[in-house]
Amino acid sequence: MKERTKGALRIALRLLPLAACMACMGIYLLAGPEISAEGLQNFAPEKPLYAAAFLLLLYAAKSLTVVFPIAVLHILGGYLFDAPVALLVNTAGVLVTLSIPYWIGRASGAGLADKLLRKYPKIEEFLGGSGSDFFLSFFLRVISCLPGDIVSMCFGARRMPFLSYLIGSFLGILPGMIATTLLGTSITNPTSPRFWISIGLTAGISVLSFSIYVFRRKHRKGVPE
């Protein structure tokens, strides 16, 4: 009887994080059209320390929704703080967003990885032809062709070494995070050089990501360039 109770408890603990993800996803889908950086700014506390805590909580909640665009929070950070502080808080937020789904996947086990790979076969495609864990984590963030939180859960479920995953993923996200944060700091002044530089960086990163993705697909299929 005790063993059966312990087994049921273990299953419940594994399902709890996924249930939280589903709940947060449902809330976002119901309220998503109303959620924007400008709208969220209205709820932010005025004191910088509280505003930073508020933003980090939003990053944590974002990591449970799967579908919420992280760029909105990058821009919000730029709204709320000067550029150096915004980059620092957004860096902490990105690390939170990368960590939570990874550990959800790790707690849920290999069964979750199998389900995710069946639903997102492109992940399996990249896993099959990758080099190191670090490079794979970095590459999938640079090309941005798959939902980031799903990738994190899959890597956690497959027990990829956390440090390799975290560093590679963060470095892959970093250029886009910097560009969108700077966009947030200057979005109210579209005539400033910083605004146009951030727009150019954001567009350039998108084009580069798409080009790398196309090149990778052609290379894997053996199509001559």
Side-chain angles (χ1 to χ4, degrees):
M1 186 67 179
K2 287 183 178 180
E3 289 299 322
R4 186 178 300 176
T5 303
K6 287 181 180 179
L9 183 60
R10 281 196 295 268
I11 293 172
L13 289 174
R14 284 189 172 188
L15 292 177
L16 184 60
L18 295 178
C21 286
M22 296 300 293
C24 289
M25 190 186 303
I27 292 170
Y28 168 71
L29 291 175
L30 289 174
E34 307 301 324
I35 297 178
S36 65
E38 198 170 46
L40 290 171
Q41 186 185 19
N42 296 327
F43 297 97
E46 291 185 7
K47 291 186 177 180
L49 187 60
Y50 294 160
F54 170 74
L55 184 54
L56 291 178
L57 283 174
L58 289 179
Y59 271 107
K62 173 263 171 295
S63 69
L64 297 175
T65 65
V66 177
V67 292
F68 184 79
I70 195 171
V72 170
L73 300 183
H74 296 165
I75 293 172
L76 178 60
Y79 271 164
L80 296 176
F81 307 103
D82 292 334
V85 177
L87 289 169
L88 184 63
V89 176
N90 279 344
T91 293
V94 167
L95 294 176
V96 168
T97 302
L98 289 172
S99 300
I100 291 176
Y102 171 90
W103 289 109
I104 287 174
R106 186 139 181 169
S108 300
L112 176 62
D114 293 338
K115 290 178 183 178
L116 292 176
L117 291 175
R118 284 196 296 270
K119 188 171 182 180
Y120 299 92
K122 284 184 179 179
I123 300 179
E124 182 75 61
E125 176 185 332
F126 286 111
L127 287 173
S130 67
S132 66
D133 294 333
F134 172 86
F135 173 77
L136 179 61
S137 301
F138 173 82
F139 181 76
L140 285 181
R141 303 299 177 177
V142 168
I143 61 174
S144 304
C145 67
L146 293 164
D149 296 325
I150 295 296
V151 171
S152 298
M153 288 183 190
C154 184
F155 287 171
R158 290 173 65 94
R159 295 188 170 271
M160 177 181 286
F162 178 66
L163 198 57
S164 297
Y165 153 81
L166 187 66
I167 296 174
S169 296
F170 176 72
L171 291 178
I173 290 173
L174 183 60
M177 186 268 284
I178 292 173
T180 47
T181 300
L182 294 178
L183 179 63
T185 63
S186 58
I187 202 167
T188 57
N189 184 16
T191 60
S192 70
R194 180 184 291 178
F195 176 81
W196 290 107
I197 290 171
S198 59
I199 287 287
L201 282 173
T202 304
I205 290 167
S206 298
V207 171
L208 179 62
S209 299
F210 180 74
S211 301
I212 292 173
Y213 175 65
V214 170
F215 175 80
R216 169 87 174 188
R217 284 186 64 84
K218 286 184 177 182
H219 180 72
R220 284 181 61 79
K221 291 180 179 179
V223 177
E225 297 298 317

